[in-house]
Amino acid sequence: AGAALLAKNVKQATFGLEPHEIGTLLKEQEATLSSIREGVIAVDTHMCIRLMNQEAEKILRTNKEEWCGKPIDEILPNNKLRDVINLAQPIYNEEQTVAEAIIMSNSVPIILDDKVVG
């Protein structure tokens, strides 16, 4: 009974996907993000970087291994992501200075089950 309950919980946590399907989805996600010609950075509700694509690495002149898990404020100190997370409202066309260059950024809340998660 315990094994069946555990299996059911694992199945729910993985959205009913099998391990090979999860691996395929992760590979597709990585390929999609690397093909985007704009920098993409995702943060969690604690303002820590969770994901960064290759274009973001180029723009910021850094690498994701160095920054994943660290506060976004350390690399983009003038961001308004706290407002985006707290208000669940996007901010578009915000001017930012990054690595001595001026960029335009869009910040959009990530919402899962009606809750902002990043």
Side-chain angles (χ1 to χ4, degrees):
L5 182 61
L6 179 62
K8 181 181 176 183
N9 287 340
V10 168
K11 203 69 157 164
Q12 286 177 333
T14 61
F15 300 101
L17 298 172
E18 297 295 327
H20 72 277
E21 293 172 310
I22 295 169
T24 299
L25 281 175
L26 288 173
K27 288 176 186 175
E28 289 172 354
Q29 178 189 28
E30 188 172 325
T32 301
L33 285 172
S34 66
S35 70
I36 296 172
R37 299 184 81 184
E38 295 178 342
V40 175
I41 300 173
V43 300
D44 59 22
T45 55
H46 302 290
M47 304 290 291
C48 292
I49 297 171
R50 300 291 303 218
L51 177 141
M52 181 183 295
N53 73 349
Q54 292 173 345
E55 194 63 27
E57 290 179 282
K58 289 179 194 173
I59 292 167
L60 299 173
R61 298 181 186 157
T62 189
N63 62 61
K64 60 185 162 198
E65 286 79 22
E66 181 181 343
W67 285 101
C68 282
K70 293 187 179 176
I72 188 73
D73 293 337
E74 291 182 20
I75 197 165
L76 292 172
N78 299 318
N79 71 74
K80 295 181 182 166
L81 291 174
R82 178 64 58 205
D83 293 338
V84 172
I85 290 171
N86 289 337
L87 302 173
Q89 295 292 318
I91 296 175
Y92 296 106
N93 302 318
E94 180 183 12
E95 202 172 280
Q96 300 231 5
T97 302
V98 176
E100 301 176 15
I102 297 175
I103 64 167
M104 297 300 286
S105 71
N106 296 314
S107 302
V108 181
I110 300 170
I111 299 173
L112 181 63
D113 296 328
D114 296 324
K115 181 180 176 188
V116 177
V117 295

